Amino acid sequence: MTYFRRIQGRIACKLFLHLATMSLTLISSAETQQSVAHAKWPGPGQLFVGACYQPVDRSPEEIDQDIALMKGAGFNVVRMGDLSWDSFEPAEGQFNFEWFDRIIDKMQAAGIHVILDIPGPPAPIWLHRAYPGVDIVNQSGDRVPPAERYMDDISDPDYRREVAILGEAMMKRYARHPALIAVGYDNEIGNGYMSYSPADRLRFIGWLKNKYGSIDALNKAWATQRWSRRLASFDDVDLPLADGPGPSERFLDLHRFWSDTTVSLLAGLDQERRRIAPDLPAISNLWDNAPRRGFDYLSTYKSYVSYGAEGFYPGDPVSGAFGATMVKGDLPTPIWFNEFTAGGGGFYGTPGRSRMYAYLGLLLGSQATLAWTFNSHLGGEEQALFGLIDHDNTPSWKLDEFAHIASDFKRLQTLGFPRYPRPEVAIAYSFASFVDSHPNGPSNTTLQYFKYPYTDQVQGAFAPLFRDNMDVSIINVGHADLTPYKLVVVPADFVMDEASATALREYVRAGGAVLMTAFSAKVDEHGQWFNTPLPGRLSDVFGIKVNAFYETPKPLSYELDGKSYQTDVRFYEVPEPSTATTLARFKDLPADVPAITINQFGKGKALYIAMPASDKVMQPILNQLIATLSLHRGPETPEGVYARSVQGRTLYVNSTASSQSIPLPGLFHATLSDRDMHDTLQLKSFEVELVQTKNNDALMQAKPNAGQTKIGE
């Protein structure tokens, strides 16, 4: 690269350095330019099946063989480029694209689309050596060599500049290549490490100055009067310890700082995409809930995401569907599984399992299924992770299974897929509540109080609706439009910031229904307990005050509409109604305690459940609300069988290891197996089927899929 080109790249990358110290309130201004569905982007009538492909592991002869196998399997998309920075830039400023040119040209000739993944992490060794600030420094102040992938300090200005230069060069090179269908950024960026260098501390201080403005405001937000920890100036600030003791207020801001750092990096790359390749969407394999660092996806995603995408490795259908629904948020575009379960670490695979999950994805509104990975790796950290091609370079039965998926999907894209769900129910999820509900220990008493994990509770609210085959959005209520929903469920939303409280208040006032559970609205946006009646900022909306809480020696039960329901939780709060009415009461307690209350506020209703949001707790009241609010319930199915109706047909997915029978009165046609049936649909283990009645009426009285207009129209 010429000197002029290098300087030009540095100028183009100033955005990254500027955003490094910006707060999310400023980053969210990028949402005014948020991704809007584009007429040229993948839309209705288009499904994609393929694989993630690492050609850096393959010889030219093997690459030709791989592409031939992909074409023979009916694959129409691959994701390439991730984890390969030093293959594109073997030394600083010395780009080598010719090898990739040949491969992408061959993919085009084979009719295979390409997602170009900008390989930000891991940084190459030359970058670590040239710019030591990219090295991770641990909490003890020791430099940590980049032994594992993602061991890069993404807040370092040199790293951010070089990533921007790489991204610009790759997008300019391939933006108009006919094979290219999308661009992705920084594979699994949320799974990186926090760093504790002196420079990181200074960047954190700059972030705090921007967020709080004065040391007095910071002292108040961090409650530094406690235990003699007042700060005389910003120079007194240390980086909070992620893996060690410390107040939760600082722990929350530490995660917000790294979240903002991550988000600004992604938003900067997406600004370049809008400038260089506006006709290409951003479809990135992100990992916002990664345990190491994570980031606040649902408050920010519209500034760098065109399609919600993730690595789909479900342990079970409910948790898999929950994760996929969360990554979609309220985007109008379908879900992309940029990595999809084929085998796994130490798991060769189970025949039929991947196909079953591919169809489960279709129910949720997915559009693409890309196996991880095409080749089983011979070396590196994932050499015992098993892909479609075995270590001896021969195709496994899994390639045939994905070919089966590709063949099926080619037919299904003419029958109303991908689906475009129109959820009537939203579930609240908050990065701040996730972080602050399990602060660093051991002295934080929140760990003793919040014993039911936050994500488990959100999933507990999701599970009954998913089992009822209902579409749901998972959103951050303070950063989303609530008007499309008839019901908003707020499970264990520990941190109740002002934006979320205002959104919920106005939604109920205008006629919406909100269902909130125990543990919600206990602390403010700084992680400090409210000094007002609980639920904080919303006590009048729910018409209650909640202070006392207790545990019982055995699981609780409660009575609703004359019926008794057994739960699996032992924790309960004691609501004190002011304007609220009691809907349900606990049984077998020494005092008469409301279990569920309801309050009229404005034109709407606010309900409060005085228990954690487990599946068994939520199911009865959700059943009642489904009827009361005239919510659309999906097709009725046995446990472990899931279904959605699309354009007069119903897709059934048996996720269980046993055969299942679904009563379907009358004569119907099974589209995938091309056979007529009567009265009963029999599904074997992991089997799927798309059925319709012989007279083409809807098989079930399910709402037809109304969202089949062209994206962008």
Side-chain angles (χ1 to χ4, degrees):
M1 178 178 286
T2 65
Y3 175 78
F4 174 76
R5 170 69 184 81
R6 203 72 188 165
I7 294 299
Q8 187 180 47
R10 283 176 167 80
I11 294 172
C13 299
K14 284 185 177 179
L15 171 69
F16 284 76
L17 309 184
H18 177 58
L19 286 175
T21 58
M22 292 178 69
S23 70
L24 270 180
T25 55
L26 293 180
I27 291 172
S28 64
S29 66
E31 293 187 17
T32 59
Q33 307 174 45
Q34 69 187 29
S35 300
V36 177
H38 192 290
K40 294 184 180 180
W41 294 356
Q46 293 175 280
L47 295 176
F48 298 88
V49 178
C52 297
Y53 188 52
Q54 287 79 45
V56 295
D57 290 337
R58 311 293 282 169
S59 69
E61 295 76 20
E62 288 172 329
I63 290 170
D64 289 342
Q65 173 187 309
D66 292 341
I67 294 174
L69 289 171
M70 293 178 193
K71 182 177 180 179
F75 288 4
N76 58 0
V77 66
V78 292
R79 174 172 162 256
M80 297 193 299
D82 59 302
L83 311 173
S84 305
W85 186 338
D86 63 4
S87 294
F88 293 104
E89 191 179 8
E92 183 176 0
Q94 298 176 18
F95 287 101
N96 177 15
F97 292 122
E98 288 75 15
W99 67 275
F100 198 78
D101 294 345
R102 292 189 291 271
I103 297 169
I104 197 171
D105 288 345
K106 290 179 178 181
M107 291 293 180
Q108 166 66 15
I112 299 173
H113 299 286
V114 173
I115 298 175
L116 177 69
D117 221 285
I118 309 300
I125 296 300
W126 64 254
L127 194 147
H128 282 270
R129 297 296 182 258
Y131 304 106
V134 179
D135 293 346
I136 294 292
V137 174
N138 66 21
Q139 290 182 173
S140 300
D142 299 321
R143 171 192 171 270
V144 181
E148 189 196 66
R149 55 183 173 164
Y150 311 141
M151 297 184 74
D152 311 315
D153 186 347
I154 66 168
S155 73
D156 179 74
D158 293 315
Y159 172 85
R160 295 165 77 84
R161 182 191 66 248
E162 296 303 315
V163 167
I165 291 171
L166 174 71
E168 180 187 34
M170 291 179 69
M171 282 188 263
K172 283 187 172 180
R173 180 84 174 193
Y174 298 109
R176 289 170 180 78
H177 195 286
L180 210 62
I181 196 172
V183 176
Y185 315 132
D186 293 352
N187 179 68
E188 296 181 349
I189 189 172
N191 197 34
Y193 291 79
M194 294 181 183
S195 186
Y196 285 80
S197 70
D200 288 305
R201 173 179 168 269
L202 293 177
R203 286 190 284 271
F204 180 61
I205 289 172
W207 182 89
L208 292 173
K209 288 179 178 178
N210 186 73
K211 181 178 176 68
Y212 293 107
S214 70
I215 195 64
D216 289 341
L218 177 60
N219 275 315
K220 183 177 180 180
W222 280 10
T224 58
Q225 75 278 2
R226 301 296 301 166
W227 287 279
S228 192
R229 287 296 177 265
R230 286 185 176 87
L231 304 167
S233 72
F234 282 102
D235 292 337
D236 287 339
V237 171
D238 289 313
L239 273 165
L241 302 178
D243 301 319
S248 60
E249 296 95 335
R250 304 181 196 189
F251 183 73
L252 183 56
D253 267 347
L254 174 70
H255 279 269
R256 283 173 168 154
F257 164 70
W258 283 107
S259 174
D260 283 6
T261 298
T262 304
V263 168
S264 65
L265 185 60
L266 294 169
L269 284 168
D270 202 60
Q271 281 205 356
E272 288 297 284
R273 176 195 62 82
R274 291 189 182 107
R275 180 177 67 86
I276 298 168
D279 290 346
L280 294 172
I283 304 180
S284 305
N285 194 57
L286 306 175
W287 193 357
D288 60 298
N289 58 352
R292 288 173 180 158
R293 193 177 63 222
F295 60 97
D296 192 353
Y297 175 83
L298 284 175
S299 293
T300 63
Y301 63 121
K302 292 175 183 176
S303 64
Y304 49 86
V305 165
S306 307
Y307 293 69
E310 68 163 358
F312 188 72
Y313 302 100
D316 60 85
V318 174
S319 64
F322 174 71
T325 303
M326 186 181 298
V327 81
K328 178 176 174 57
D330 62 357
L331 289 169
T333 46
I335 304 164
W336 279 56
F337 294 130
N338 277 12
E339 295 179 11
F340 192 85
T341 180
F347 171 57
Y348 190 75
T350 301
R353 183 177 181 272
S354 291
R355 181 170 180 261
M356 178 274 290
Y357 273 120
Y359 276 91
L360 190 74
L362 285 186
L363 295 183
L364 301 169
S366 71
Q367 185 170 35
T369 299
L370 284 76
W372 183 270
T373 179
F374 190 74
N375 307 105
S376 298
H377 298 177
L378 297 178
E381 296 166 13
E382 293 189 344
Q383 57 187 264
L385 192 156
F386 302 89
L388 305 185
I389 306 299
D390 288 340
H391 290 87
D392 64 357
N393 218 26
T394 58
S396 73
W397 58 261
K398 290 176 283 187
L399 181 62
D400 290 335
E401 183 162 317
F402 273 81
H404 192 178
I405 296 169
S407 177
D408 286 349
F409 280 21
K410 190 172 182 180
R411 294 177 61 197
L412 289 171
Q413 67 184 4
T414 67
L415 301 176
F417 293 95
R419 288 186 69 238
Y420 287 83
R422 298 288 181 87
E424 298 175 310
V425 181
I427 296 178
Y429 181 90
S430 161
F431 175 77
S433 290
F434 169 73
V435 171
D436 204 51
S437 62
H438 66 282
N440 48 356
S443 57
N444 274 298
T445 53
T446 300
L447 298 171
Q448 300 164 344
Y449 166 71
F450 209 105
K451 295 179 181 178
Y452 295 82
Y454 174 68
T455 302
D456 288 357
Q457 293 195 59
V458 182
Q459 187 172 304
F462 171 84
L465 298 166
F466 178 64
R467 279 202 313 273
D468 280 339
N469 295 310
M470 297 175 64
D471 293 321
V472 174
S473 289
I474 299 178
I475 58 173
N476 183 300
V477 294
H479 294 264
D481 178 11
L482 304 185
T483 56
Y485 307 108
K486 293 183 179 180
L487 173 66
V488 175
V489 183
V490 186
D493 206 353
F494 189 55
V495 177
M496 185 53 59
D497 60 80
E498 190 168 352
S500 296
T502 299
L504 291 170
R505 174 182 296 274
E506 295 309 313
Y507 172 73
V508 177
R509 193 196 304 275
V514 168
L515 177 64
M516 181 181 276
T517 76
F519 293 113
S520 293
K522 305 306 184 193
V523 301
D524 64 15
E525 52 266 37
H526 303 301
Q528 295 186 22
W529 213 267
F530 284 109
N531 64 354
T532 57
L534 302 176
R537 293 187 166 125
L538 293 168
S539 178
D540 60 326
V541 175
F542 288 88
I544 57 172
K545 184 175 81 167
V546 180
N547 282 329
F549 60 90
Y550 303 97
E551 287 190 86
T552 57
K554 61 180 182 179
L556 294 154
S557 61
Y558 67 94
E559 188 172 292
L560 174 66
D561 284 346
K563 295 181 180 180
S564 181
Y565 297 97
Q566 182 67 46
T567 79
D568 52 357
V569 302
R570 297 188 299 109
F571 176 98
Y572 71 96
E573 298 177 341
V574 182
E576 301 174 26
S578 52
T579 57
T581 302
T582 298
L583 266 185
R585 295 185 182 277
F586 288 112
K587 298 180 64 179
D588 306 321
L589 291 182
D592 186 15
V593 179
I596 305 174
T597 61
I598 185 169
N599 189 52
Q600 179 79 39
F601 184 82
K603 298 178 181 179
K605 304 284 187 182
L607 295 90
Y608 194 88
I609 302 179
M611 291 173 281
S614 78
D615 190 340
K616 287 188 175 181
V617 167
M618 302 298 290
Q619 181 73 74
I621 185 61
L622 286 171
N623 281 341
Q624 187 179 94
L625 287 171
I626 288 168
T628 302
L629 300 174
S630 299
L631 299 175
H632 164 245
R633 195 191 298 266
E636 188 173 344
T637 55
E639 185 74 22
V641 177
Y642 305 98
R644 296 290 192 279
S645 293
V646 182
Q647 294 187 354
R649 302 175 184 87
T650 302
L651 178 61
Y652 290 92
V653 177
N654 178 14
S655 71
T656 73
S658 58
S659 294
Q660 299 287 340
S661 297
I662 300 100
L664 300 176
L667 184 66
F668 58 93
H669 183 70
T671 303
L672 295 176
S673 57
D674 193 21
R675 53 185 172 150
D676 291 337
M677 297 184 182
H678 196 275
D679 290 340
T680 303
L681 172 64
Q682 194 74 28
L683 292 178
K684 297 177 183 178
S685 172
F686 294 158
E687 193 173 14
V688 301
E689 190 55 86
L690 181 69
V691 300
Q692 70 179 129
T693 56
K694 291 294 285 184
N695 62 1
N696 292 324
D697 292 333
L699 179 65
M700 307 294 293
Q701 294 302 312
K703 184 188 296 182
N705 185 31
Q708 300 299 319
T709 56
K710 186 73 173 177
I711 291 183
E713 291 181 349

